[in-house]
């Protein structure tokens, strides 16, 4: 083997010439690396070459060849090589080379120690780690770290010796690197430790923990950025280990991190990393954090740190403490109960939002905005106090405060759109004022950049707010908003164009027909943007336009939009081949929307659309090419210097390699390597892979396939089998978004096929109960089995709570729509029941902290995200009850205590949900509820006196349906006087429309069930006088059903209310919204009006408020 040529090739790999690099790498791989002698040459270069970068590259390459060639090396040479390699490592002056050589030693040791060779190595390393020479101590500990990393369990029997050694090196008096290397080694020991099986090692680790914190503190105090980062990464890794390792010092560690984060005299990088650690702690140890009740302290610190923000962060800016603190607030709001985050934040806000310092006013707004997503239900209850502050700061003299106020409005509207939309009369004019002011200032060239930010933020706020504005209200603003936003289409700034287009799309969707006068002009103005592709800015704008067109197509409807469909489909079919994820994703979403607008008329486009989506789903998810070409496979998992750049090469076990280039120069800082080829290092791989852009795109494509299934019905049948097969391939994907989408597609396919079979006459409408009364078709049976098998396999072990929520929703929806067929397989009912019970008891894997089996106190409260898991699990019970009908009575015994216990919880949201869910179960069980009348009536009566309005509303509904369904007549009618007494004040709480409506519904159900038990002469005038209902339209079925029933029975008490009812009849039949009456109830009310006109024409003419003319009765 030509040694000179070999060395020259290695040097060529380091040259700043891509073609030369590719050629050299190919030659090395094809001509040299297949020969065992290549390993010997590489090891010789590592120990003797003059060039540090060449030695480093040789070490990287040697490590990859050890497994292939080391056993072929003659025994007589091995000892000499080991000795030389150790000596070279111990004397190496360049840290990067030392670390690469250390990994070669560990790779050789992995083979040798398994074969009973090189047994003296641990002793040599221990001697090095205790040497008088600090450089040798550093190398000795680092090699021990790499051995722990690669050999893992092989050190379990030697942990006591290692702890003795590391108890000294963690306090090395001379070398910070020795101390940090000791931390790295301890992090690997933490992954090996089983505290329950090895209490002495646990005690030893806990004893060293304060010294680990001291190492971090020392690095921070010394402003040593690299070692600070390494130390922080160790603590981050410990969050994934057994919780007992940090338990004794966990609270102190949090307080230390808070101190670092809040210390303005420390570096921004260290402070941001401390905040990042706290963010990960809240995410992965949220139960422990909640139990320690440190949420309030963290919240107040974050609020203060947020005052340091210079400008609202752009994507390409460095991470700052203030921006990270806001991110921590977001994480805490999602992970912890409102009492620990949002409540203390709201209490602390007044001094900030009323401060004379603009930065403090802005910080208060931004902090509030960050908490909305995590606690929307609670925030919605506080809007009366929040809105006056927001309105005032929208008019703040400081532009940065107004910008923050606009962002706060957008975040509020994003998550509680309906509540925010109700404030449109004050909110929209304030947003328009900001938009106009900024537009005028930009035209005058005053403070241009900041004014552009205000324009974009105003458009963003309008975009979000109009999501929650009712159509009739939105229509009032179209005349002033459409021209303003349209003018911004011509603005030279592409981001302003995009913001304006998006806003107008949402305004159009909200106002619907009122947008028609502006539709043609808008389409002509933006049509040119659909072919833009010359720059990133143009492509970003194209994506926003595509989104806006989705909204506009729904606003104007199929007929008006038809002329644009063909060109749009052509543009989107081109767009999916462009190298721009957002353009492709918005094209998929437009397909979904058009299929919704045109339904089966979308059929001509299905072939091309399904083909495009399928191509997306078949993409490789690791597409980034290695700059060295395919020949670089031998460098996977290594760090090298190529073309003057430091390179870290990663490997994926199931896909092509990726190569990421650091910005540092070759002589810069060390790059930490994670051994991704180690079979025991799956956690490291999971940390590094993250979510690829391709996976995110696939998620959208898969969801759109589900939309096509639902929208196109039987026209999609030719694509059913491949679609289901595609979905099955993603059920166990590493990315939770794809797992959710896959399960969603399976159940949407099942529901759609079921609907097609029922409507096509292939089977009758399903009937509740098991065994099945109506067997499904063979295809449905097969698909149901596939979907349920896949779902159960994922459901029981899924750790992502969002995925579990989606599974709960899909299963519940399938049960409600398609009935009991999916429960027919043996054991399915029990499996679902056990899963639901584990979720309600907070014992499911998605509800546990990482690495934590500790029983914690003080966890009765839940974050709103966590409660959503339980709430949707309860809805699965409703689905099962709906599917099983009266036969669900026996299964109710499993759930009764759980749900009724929650109905007595201290949290109002939990009480109200439990009562509402139980009410729906009562409706589904019908007469099967009778054996449980006593326990249910007791809890419902108690909750009719609840302090929370929503709980009282649900209790009124629940009481009514129990009276309606139970056949325990004596017990029910005995309670009538008590029920009516409790309902009477609820009927007159005018600021609680839903409570009044539900109370009216309850009374109506009581009358229909047992009219003789109700004093109709006293009750009916109250009911008639309070009509029409104001919010809960479903209760119109009960109320008007009762009225029609009493008229049919010729009730004198009912007939005496005719004059009062006639204008109410006119209102429900003709006043908006149309959906306040179901079709069946509308028909009943129309017939009632006709009946009354026949029998009392003069009264109807006199009191009907134009009812005769409206119905054309004469």
């Amino acid at each position: 083997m030509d040694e000179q040529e070999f060395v020259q090739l290695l040097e060529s790999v380091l040259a700043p010439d891509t073609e030369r690099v590719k050629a050299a790498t190919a030659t090395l791989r094809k001509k040299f690396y297949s020969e065992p002698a290549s390993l010997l040459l590489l090891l010789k270069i590592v120990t003797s070459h003059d060039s540090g970068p060449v030695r480093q590259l040789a070490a990287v390459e040697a490590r990859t060849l050890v497994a292939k060639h080391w056993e072929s090396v003659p025994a007589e040479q091995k000892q000499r090589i080991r000795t030389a390699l150790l000596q070279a490592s111990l004397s190496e002056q360049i840290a990067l080379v030392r670390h690469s050589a250390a990994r070669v030693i560990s790779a050789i040791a992995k083979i040798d120690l398994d074969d009973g060779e090189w047994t003296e190595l641990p002793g040599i390393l221990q001697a090095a780690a205790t040497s008088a020479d600090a450089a040798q101590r550093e190398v000795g500990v680092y090699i021990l770290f790499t051995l722990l990393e690669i050999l893992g369990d092989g050190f379990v029997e030697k942990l006591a010796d290692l702890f003795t050694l590391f108890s000294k090196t963690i306090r090395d008096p001379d070398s910070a690197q020795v101390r940090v290397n000791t931390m790295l080694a301890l992090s690997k020991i933490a992954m090996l430790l089983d505290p329950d099986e090895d209490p002495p090692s646990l005690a030893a680790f806990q004893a060293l923990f304060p010294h680990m914190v001291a190492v971090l503190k020392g690095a921070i105090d010394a402003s040593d950025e690299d070692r600070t980062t390494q130390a922080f990464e160790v603590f981050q890794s410990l969050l994934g280990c057994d919780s007992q390792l940090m338990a004794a010092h966990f609270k102190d560690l949090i307080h230390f991190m808070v101190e670092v984060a809040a210390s303005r005299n420390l570096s921004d990088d260290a402070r941001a990393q401390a905040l990042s650690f706290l963010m990960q702690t809240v995410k992965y140890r949220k139960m422990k954090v909640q139990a320690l009740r440190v949420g309030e302290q963290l919240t107040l610190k974050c609020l203060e740190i947020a005052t340091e923000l210079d400008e609202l962060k752009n994507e390409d800016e460095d991470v700052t403490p203030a921006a990270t603190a806001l991110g921590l607030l977001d994480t805490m709001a999602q992970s912890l109960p409102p009492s620990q985050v949002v409540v203390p934040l709201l209490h602390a806000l007044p001094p900030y939002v009323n401060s004379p310092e603009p930065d403090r006013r802005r910080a208060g707004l931004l902090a509030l905005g960050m908490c909305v997503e995590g606690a929307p239900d609670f925030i919605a209850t506080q809007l009366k106090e929040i809105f006056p502050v927001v309105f005032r700061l929208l008019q703040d003299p400081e532009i940065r405060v107004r910008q923050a106020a606009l962002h706060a409005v957008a975040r509020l509207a994003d998550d509680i759109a309906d509540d925010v939309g109700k404030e449109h009369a004050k909110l929209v004019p304030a947003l328009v004022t900001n938009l106009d002011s900024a537009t005028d200032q930009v035209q005058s060239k005053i403070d241009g950049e900041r004014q552009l930010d205000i324009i974009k933020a105003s458009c963003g706020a309008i975009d979000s707010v109009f999501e929650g504005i009712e159509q009739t209200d939105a229509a009032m603003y179209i005349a002033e908003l459409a021209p303003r936003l349209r003018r911004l289409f011509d603005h030279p700034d592409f981001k302003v164009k995009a913001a304006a287009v998006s806003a107008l799309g949402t305004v159009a969707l909200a106002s619907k027909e009122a947008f028609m006068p502006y539709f043609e002009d808008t389409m002509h103005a933006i049509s040119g943007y659909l072919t833009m592709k010359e720059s990133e800015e143009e492509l970003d704008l194209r994506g926003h336009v595509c989104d806006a067109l989705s909204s506009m197509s729904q606003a104007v409807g199929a007929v008006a939009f038809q002329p644009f469909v063909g060109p749009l489909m052509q543009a989107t079919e081109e767009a999916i081949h462009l190298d721009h994820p957002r353009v492709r994703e918005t094209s998929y979403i437009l397909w979904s929307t058009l299929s919704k607008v045109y339904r089966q008329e979308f059929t001509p486009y299905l072939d091309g659309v399904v083909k495009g989506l399928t191509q997306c789903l078949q993409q490789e998810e690791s597409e980034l090419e290695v700059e060295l070409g395919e020949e670089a496979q031998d460098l996977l998992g290594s760090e090298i210097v190529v073309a003057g750049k430091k390179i870290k090469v990663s490997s994926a076990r199931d896909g092509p390699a990726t190569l990421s280039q650091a910005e540092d120069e070759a002589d810069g800082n060390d790059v930490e390597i994670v051994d991704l080829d180690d079979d025991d290092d799956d956690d490291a791989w999971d940390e590094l892979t993250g979510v690829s852009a391709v996976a995110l795109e696939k998620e959208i494509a898969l969801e759109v396939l589900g939309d096509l299934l639902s929208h196109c019905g039987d026209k999609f049948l030719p694509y059913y089998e491949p679609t289901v097969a595609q979905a099955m391939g993603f059920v166990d994907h590493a990315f939770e978004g794809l797992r959710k989408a896959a399960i969603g597609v399976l159940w949407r396919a099942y529901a759609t096929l079921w609907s097609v079979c029922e409507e096509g006459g292939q089977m009758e409408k399903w009937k509740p109960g098991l065994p099945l009364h109506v067997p499904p078709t063979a295809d449905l049976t097969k698909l149901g089995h596939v979907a349920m098998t896949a779902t159960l396999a994922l459901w029981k072990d899924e750790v992502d709570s969002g995925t579990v929520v989606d599974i709960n929703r899909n299963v519940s929806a399938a049960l409600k729509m398609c009935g009991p067929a999916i429960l027919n397989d043996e054991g399915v009912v029990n499996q679902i029941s056990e899963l639901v019970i584990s979720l309600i008891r907070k014992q499911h894997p998605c509800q546990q902290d990482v690495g934590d089996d500790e029983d914690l106190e003080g966890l009765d409260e839940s974050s709103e995200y966590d409660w959503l898991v339980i709430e949707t699990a309860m809805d699965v019970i409703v689905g099962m009850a709906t599917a099983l009908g009266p036969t669900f009575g026996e299964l109710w015994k499993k759930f009764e205590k759980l749900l009724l216990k929650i109905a007595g919880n201290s949290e109002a949201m939990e009480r109200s949900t439990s009562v509402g869910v139980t009410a729906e179960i009562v409706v589904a069980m019908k007469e099967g509820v009778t054996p449980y009348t006593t326990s249910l009536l007791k809890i419902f009566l108690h909750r009719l006196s609840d302090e929370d309005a929503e709980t009282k509303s649900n209790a009124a509904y629940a009481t009514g349906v129990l009276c309606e369904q139970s056949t325990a007549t004596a017990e029910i009618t005995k309670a009538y006087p008590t029920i009516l007494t409790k309902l009477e004040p609820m009927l007159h709480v005018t600021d609680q429309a839903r409570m009044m409506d539900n109370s009216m519904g309850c009374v109506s159900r009581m009358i229909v069930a047992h009219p003789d038990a109700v004093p109709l002469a006293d009750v009916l005038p109250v009911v008639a006088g309070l009509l029409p209902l104001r919010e809960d339209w479903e209760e119109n079925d009960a109320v008007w059903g009762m009225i029609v029933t009493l008229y049919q029975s010729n009730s004198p008490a009912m007939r005496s209310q005719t004059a009062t009812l006639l204008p109410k009849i006119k209102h429900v039949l003709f006043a908006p919204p149309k959906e306040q009456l179901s079709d069946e109830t509308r028909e009943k009310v129309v017939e009632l009006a006709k009946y009354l006109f026949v029998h009392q024409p003069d009264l109807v003419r006199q009191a009907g408020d134009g009812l005769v003319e409206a119905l054309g009765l004469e």
Side-chain angles (χ1 to χ4, degrees):
M1 185 170 285
D2 189 332
E3 181 176 344
Q4 184 177 358
E5 181 188 2
F6 188 82
V7 173
Q8 288 175 345
L9 287 168
L10 286 179
E11 292 172 339
S12 296
V13 171
L14 300 173
D17 183 335
T18 301
E19 293 305 316
R20 188 177 169 191
V21 167
K22 287 183 177 181
T25 305
T27 304
L28 284 169
R29 184 177 183 186
K30 295 173 183 177
K31 183 176 179 180
F32 291 97
Y33 286 165
S34 60
E35 298 295 326
S38 64
L39 176 59
L40 299 179
L41 274 178
L42 288 168
L43 294 175
K44 179 180 177 182
I45 293 168
V46 171
T47 59
S48 62
H49 200 279
D50 293 336
S51 168
V54 173
R55 292 199 302 276
Q56 185 222 341
L57 178 58
V60 169
E61 296 290 77
R63 177 183 171 229
T64 65
L65 296 179
V66 165
K68 186 186 297 185
H69 296 315
W70 179 249
E71 291 182 342
S72 302
V73 175
E76 64 273 11
Q77 294 185 42
K78 285 185 176 180
Q79 187 56 44
R80 178 177 55 79
I81 292 171
R82 295 173 186 134
T83 302
L85 196 53
L86 267 173
Q87 290 176 346
S89 299
L90 292 171
S91 60
E92 177 60 60
Q93 298 300 305
I94 301 175
L96 197 61
V97 181
R98 281 201 305 271
H99 290 180
S100 297
R103 293 188 177 278
V104 179
I105 292 172
S106 61
I108 292 173
K110 182 177 184 180
I111 297 171
D112 283 355
L113 292 175
D114 285 345
D115 293 340
E117 300 180 16
W118 211 2
T119 54
E120 69 276 16
L121 178 62
I124 294 171
L125 295 177
Q126 182 151 357
T130 55
S131 166
D133 184 338
Q136 291 198 9
R137 295 199 301 275
E138 178 197 332
V139 176
V141 175
Y142 191 83
I143 296 174
L144 282 170
F145 156 60
T146 62
L147 284 173
L148 282 163
E149 189 176 49
I150 201 168
L151 291 176
D153 293 338
F155 278 89
V156 169
E157 300 299 323
K158 301 174 183 177
L159 289 181
D161 293 338
L162 288 173
F163 278 122
T164 300
L165 172 64
F166 293 153
S167 67
K168 299 173 184 176
T169 58
I170 193 72
R171 294 176 289 178
D172 191 291
D174 304 315
S175 172
Q177 193 59 54
V178 172
R179 298 193 293 270
V180 169
N181 288 351
T182 303
M183 284 189 70
L184 294 173
L186 287 169
S187 71
K188 297 305 173 184
I189 288 178
M191 296 177 185
L192 300 177
L193 263 179
D194 185 343
D196 295 329
E197 298 294 327
D198 191 357
S201 291
L202 171 62
F205 189 93
Q206 290 178 332
L208 291 178
F209 194 85
H211 299 296
M212 298 171 70
V213 177
V215 173
L216 172 59
K217 185 176 186 303
I220 293 172
D221 291 343
S223 299
D224 189 333
E225 185 176 328
D226 292 339
R227 294 189 179 101
T228 296
T229 299
Q230 285 182 301
F232 269 118
E233 287 175 352
V234 167
F235 285 110
Q236 294 267 17
S237 72
L238 292 179
L239 291 172
C241 300
D242 193 292
S243 66
Q244 295 178 71
L245 296 173
M246 291 197 293
H249 306 284
F250 189 72
K251 188 171 185 178
D252 292 337
L253 179 63
I254 288 179
H255 288 313
F256 169 73
M257 294 293 183
V258 171
E259 288 177 9
V260 172
S263 299
R264 296 195 182 195
N265 59 321
L266 298 178
S267 72
D268 281 358
D269 186 65
R271 296 176 65 203
Q273 289 193 73
L275 288 162
S276 179
F277 173 81
L278 290 169
M279 197 182 303
Q280 296 304 308
T281 300
V282 171
K283 184 175 180 181
Y284 294 112
R285 294 288 170 85
K286 64 183 178 184
M287 296 171 68
K288 183 71 171 176
V289 173
Q290 180 178 337
L292 289 175
R293 297 193 175 279
V294 294
E296 180 171 354
Q297 178 195 6
L298 292 173
T299 299
L300 298 181
K301 289 293 184 185
C302 287
L303 183 54
E304 183 60 31
I305 294 169
T307 63
E308 302 173 35
L309 197 68
D310 291 329
E311 297 292 341
L312 292 185
K313 178 177 172 288
N314 293 321
E315 292 178 4
D316 56 347
E317 288 182 354
D318 291 336
V319 174
T320 63
T324 312
L326 291 171
L328 175 55
L329 273 176
D330 187 16
T331 301
M332 288 195 297
Q334 295 181 38
S335 304
L336 301 177
S339 65
Q340 293 197 23
V341 183
V342 183
V343 172
L345 175 72
L346 292 176
H347 286 160
L349 272 184
Y352 284 84
V353 296
N354 296 317
S355 171
E357 300 175 31
D359 288 340
R360 299 186 76 79
R361 298 199 298 276
R362 178 178 60 169
L365 286 167
L366 294 174
L368 173 64
M370 295 305 291
C371 290
V372 181
E373 183 182 2
D377 291 339
F378 181 81
I379 292 287
T381 66
Q382 307 300 308
L383 288 179
K384 286 184 179 178
E385 289 73 34
I386 290 172
F387 268 131
V389 173
V390 173
F391 290 142
R392 173 167 58 82
L393 296 182
L394 281 170
Q395 304 170 56
D396 197 274
E398 285 288 337
I399 190 168
R400 60 185 183 275
V401 177
R402 295 200 304 278
Q403 185 183 0
L406 290 165
H407 283 292
V409 167
R411 291 190 73 98
L412 285 164
D414 283 341
D415 291 292
I416 45 177
D418 292 343
D419 297 278
V420 173
K422 291 174 183 176
E423 299 291 328
H424 64 86
K426 292 182 179 178
L427 200 48
V428 175
L431 300 180
V432 172
T433 298
N434 271 278
L435 180 63
D436 287 348
S437 173
T439 303
D440 292 342
Q441 296 284 350
V442 167
Q443 290 174 350
S444 303
K445 299 183 179 180
I446 300 173
D447 204 5
E449 284 301 317
R450 287 193 170 191
Q451 298 297 346
L452 285 180
D453 289 339
I454 291 290
I455 292 174
K456 289 179 283 188
S458 299
C459 289
I462 291 169
D463 194 349
S464 298
V465 167
F466 271 79
E467 292 278 0
I469 300 181
E470 295 288 340
Q471 180 183 346
T472 51
D473 296 325
M476 297 189 303
Y477 302 107
I478 192 70
E480 60 177 322
L481 280 176
R484 283 176 168 85
L485 296 171
R486 166 65 183 83
R487 283 195 292 272
L488 291 175
F489 292 3
D490 301 322
H491 196 281
D493 188 290
F494 277 84
K495 290 184 178 179
V496 169
K497 291 177 189 282
V501 167
S502 295
L504 186 54
T506 304
V507 171
L509 182 57
S511 54
K512 292 188 168 57
E513 292 89 348
F515 176 66
M516 280 301 300
Y518 308 93
F519 173 58
E520 291 282 346
D521 177 63
T522 300
M523 292 301 293
H524 289 305
I526 63 177
S527 59
Y529 298 150
L530 281 172
T531 55
M532 284 185 164
K533 56 184 177 182
E534 297 305 318
S535 67
E536 192 72 16
E537 284 185 324
E538 288 186 354
L539 287 168
D540 284 337
L541 175 58
R542 182 170 175 169
H544 282 88
V545 168
C546 208
D547 258 348
L549 289 171
S550 293
S551 299
M552 291 175 190
S553 66
Q554 296 175 81
V556 302
V559 175
F561 203 77
Q562 183 62 50
F564 304 97
V565 174
L568 274 180
M569 291 304 298
Q570 185 176 348
T572 54
E573 286 173 11
E574 178 210 28
I576 65 171
H577 299 293
L578 297 174
D579 185 21
H580 194 277
R582 177 169 173 78
V583 168
R584 294 197 298 269
E585 291 163 9
T586 54
S587 296
Y588 304 150
I589 293 169
L590 180 60
W591 293 346
S592 167
T593 304
L594 292 178
S595 72
K596 180 180 180 181
V597 171
Y598 289 96
R599 299 287 173 176
Q600 295 194 346
E601 293 177 25
F602 192 70
T603 304
Y605 301 104
L606 278 179
D607 272 338
V609 165
V610 173
K611 181 181 178 182
L613 295 171
T614 301
Q615 288 174 347
C616 170
L617 294 171
Q618 291 174 347
Q619 291 178 95
E620 293 287 348
E621 286 181 38
S622 299
E623 292 189 319
L624 186 61
E625 290 292 330
V626 178
E627 187 173 343
L628 305 184
E630 294 182 1
E631 297 82 1
Q633 292 294 318
D634 288 336
L635 304 182
L636 295 180
S638 308
E639 57 178 27
I640 57 175
V641 178
V642 178
K645 296 287 186 179
K646 188 191 305 177
I647 303 298
K648 180 170 62 182
V649 186
S650 305
S651 66
R653 292 189 179 90
D654 299 317
T658 63
L659 182 71
S660 61
Q661 298 191 358
E663 292 299 323
D664 312 60
E665 293 300 317
D667 57 351
N669 300 322
D670 188 11
V671 173
E672 181 62 29
I673 307 172
V674 178
D675 184 2
L676 299 180
D677 297 320
D678 185 347
D679 291 336
D680 297 325
D681 210 358
D682 290 335
D683 290 340
W685 174 246
D686 290 342
E687 280 295 313
L688 289 182
T689 51
V691 180
S692 71
V694 177
L696 290 166
E697 185 182 335
K698 285 184 178 183
E699 177 189 11
I700 293 173
L702 201 51
E703 288 174 346
V704 170
L705 269 178
D707 293 339
L708 294 172
L709 275 165
S710 300
H711 299 157
C712 298
D714 61 342
K715 300 299 182 183
F716 198 83
L717 287 177
Y719 314 98
Y720 254 77
E721 286 194 21
T723 296
V724 170
Q726 291 263 25
M728 284 297 296
F730 293 105
V731 168
D732 60 353
H733 195 277
F735 172 40
E736 66 274 9
L738 272 169
R739 297 197 297 274
K740 284 191 286 189
I743 291 295
V745 167
L746 291 177
W747 287 113
R748 293 178 79 172
Y750 183 77
T752 302
L753 187 57
W754 188 284
S755 177
V756 168
C757 290
E758 277 191 349
E759 293 171 5
Q762 297 178 49
M763 60 187 194
E764 299 176 18
K765 169 71 178 173
W766 66 269
K767 297 176 182 177
L770 288 176
L772 296 176
H773 299 288
V774 180
T777 66
D779 285 342
L780 272 170
T781 301
K782 179 181 176 181
L783 181 54
H785 176 75
V786 167
M788 183 55 75
T789 302
T791 298
L792 288 172
L794 181 62
W795 205 354
K796 65 180 180 179
D797 297 320
E798 178 58 61
V799 296
D800 176 65
S801 58
T803 302
V804 172
V805 166
D806 266 34
I807 292 173
N808 294 344
R809 287 171 169 162
N810 276 294
V811 172
S812 175
L815 287 164
K816 292 174 183 178
M817 179 177 174
C818 307
I822 58 174
L823 302 176
N824 200 39
D825 285 352
E826 185 177 354
V828 167
V829 170
N830 284 335
Q831 288 184 70
I832 293 178
S833 299
E834 289 168 8
L835 279 164
V836 167
I837 289 171
S838 73
L839 287 164
I840 295 174
R841 287 178 173 164
K842 303 182 183 179
Q843 295 172 346
H844 189 274
C846 77
Q847 297 163 305
Q848 307 302 307
D849 281 351
V850 175
D852 197 355
D853 297 320
E854 184 180 359
D855 290 328
L856 300 171
E857 297 180 358
L859 298 178
D860 292 338
E861 293 180 280
S862 300
S863 71
E864 291 188 19
Y865 268 40
D866 291 339
W867 175 247
L868 190 58
V869 174
I870 298 172
E871 183 179 11
T872 53
M874 291 182 186
D875 200 46
V876 175
I877 305 175
V878 176
M880 294 174 73
T882 303
L884 296 175
T887 62
F888 181 77
E890 281 301 304
L891 200 55
W892 172 244
K893 295 175 183 176
K894 287 189 174 186
F895 304 112
E896 182 179 15
K897 288 184 179 179
L898 277 174
L899 291 187
L900 298 190
K901 179 183 177 183
I902 295 173
N905 277 5
S906 59
E907 289 294 312
M909 178 173 61
E910 298 178 10
R911 295 196 305 275
S912 104
T913 301
S914 178
V915 172
V917 163
T918 306
E920 292 184 63
I921 292 169
V922 169
V923 172
M925 279 202 285
K926 300 189 181 303
E927 70 275 7
V929 76
T930 302
Y932 309 102
T933 299
T934 302
S935 60
L936 291 174
L937 187 58
K938 179 181 177 181
I939 192 70
F940 293 162
L941 286 175
H942 184 55
R943 288 303 145 208
L944 281 174
S945 302
D946 199 281
E947 62 185 20
D948 174 61
E950 191 72 14
T951 303
K952 290 171 77 169
S953 296
N954 285 350
Y957 173 70
T959 303
V961 295
L962 182 63
C963 293
E964 186 178 46
Q965 303 295 345
S966 174
T967 58
T969 303
E971 184 175 4
I972 289 290
T973 55
K974 183 180 177 181
Y976 265 36
T978 303
I979 298 170
L980 291 171
T981 300
K982 287 178 177 285
L983 289 176
E984 197 277 333
M986 294 167 60
L987 287 165
H988 302 286
V989 185
T990 55
D991 63 341
Q992 295 290 340
R994 186 171 178 274
M995 183 194 297
M996 294 178 65
D997 294 350
N998 285 152
S999 299
M1000 298 249 282
C1002 180
V1003 170
S1004 300
R1005 291 182 176 92
M1006 291 169 68
I1007 292 171
V1008 171
H1010 306 288
D1012 294 339
V1014 179
L1016 296 179
D1018 297 326
V1019 171
L1020 289 177
V1022 176
V1023 172
L1026 290 173
L1027 285 172
L1029 302 187
R1030 292 189 295 159
E1031 184 174 314
D1032 195 339
W1033 309 129
E1034 291 182 9
E1035 292 291 52
N1036 270 320
D1037 291 344
V1039 175
W1040 287 100
M1042 176 271 294
I1043 291 170
V1044 169
T1045 298
L1046 290 182
Y1047 270 110
Q1048 288 173 339
S1049 64
N1050 205 27
S1051 163
M1054 188 74 264
R1055 297 185 70 85
S1056 70
Q1057 299 304 309
T1058 300
T1060 304
L1061 283 173
L1062 283 168
K1064 312 299 177 75
I1065 292 174
K1066 165 77 179 308
H1067 180 92
V1068 295
L1069 288 177
F1070 298 104
K1074 185 178 180 181
E1075 59 268 20
Q1076 66 181 301
L1077 289 182
S1078 65
D1079 291 343
E1080 182 180 353
T1081 299
R1082 179 175 296 277
E1083 187 176 332
K1084 288 180 181 179
V1085 175
V1086 169
E1087 290 303 313
L1088 173 61
K1090 292 178 179 178
Y1091 169 83
L1092 292 173
F1093 183 68
V1094 169
H1095 292 85
Q1096 295 177 281
D1098 293 338
L1099 181 59
V1100 174
R1101 291 190 186 97
Q1102 179 182 352
D1105 191 28
L1107 180 62
V1108 174
E1109 293 78 12
L1111 282 175
L1113 297 177
E1114 61 179 10

